[in-house]
Amino acid sequence: MQTTKKHFKVIINYNYCKKCGICSWICPVNAIIEEEFGKPVVPDPEKCTGCLQCERMCPDFAISIKQIEQ
Ligand code: SF4
Ligand code: SF4
């Protein structure tokens, strides 16, 4: 049986983000990292497993995870 990897897009709304650092701290695979001045960025979205912890824990509702249909 063939298993297909799921792919996710990490969408950060910088209008809401307060650069608190929770998302980069909580991401278990380090998909979100802090740039200069604490801005969260996702240089390698392939790392994201879609666990949704960042989306749930962001106090400003600034992150949404979308599964990408292949
Ligand atoms: S948890 Fe939310 S507010 Fe905090 S840095 Fe991440 S996106 Fe920004
Ligand atoms: S959904 Fe999970 S793996 Fe993906 S960026 Fe958020 S915390 Fe990291």
Side-chain angles (χ1 to χ4, degrees):
M1 196 178 83
Q2 192 184 356
T3 52
T4 45
K5 185 185 182 303
K6 290 181 177 170
H7 302 269
F8 298 92
K9 190 172 183 186
V10 184
I11 302 157
I12 301 174
N13 185 333
Y14 293 109
N15 292 324
Y16 296 157
C17 174
K18 303 284 196 310
K19 301 176 181 170
C20 69
I22 290 175
C23 54
S24 53
W25 175 77
I26 206 150
C27 178
V29 294
N30 294 323
I32 305 176
I33 60 166
E34 276 181 46
E35 234 182 27
E36 213 177 346
F37 307 116
K39 181 183 177 184
V41 292
V42 185
D44 183 5
E46 281 296 301
K47 281 186 175 178
C48 175
T49 61
C51 72
L52 299 180
Q53 290 192 60
C54 56
E55 186 181 285
R56 290 188 183 126
M57 294 303 289
C58 174
D60 296 291
F61 306 101
I63 303 185
S64 57
I65 304 296
K66 297 270 180 280
Q67 188 172 343
I68 301 166
E69 302 298 333
Q70 296 289 310

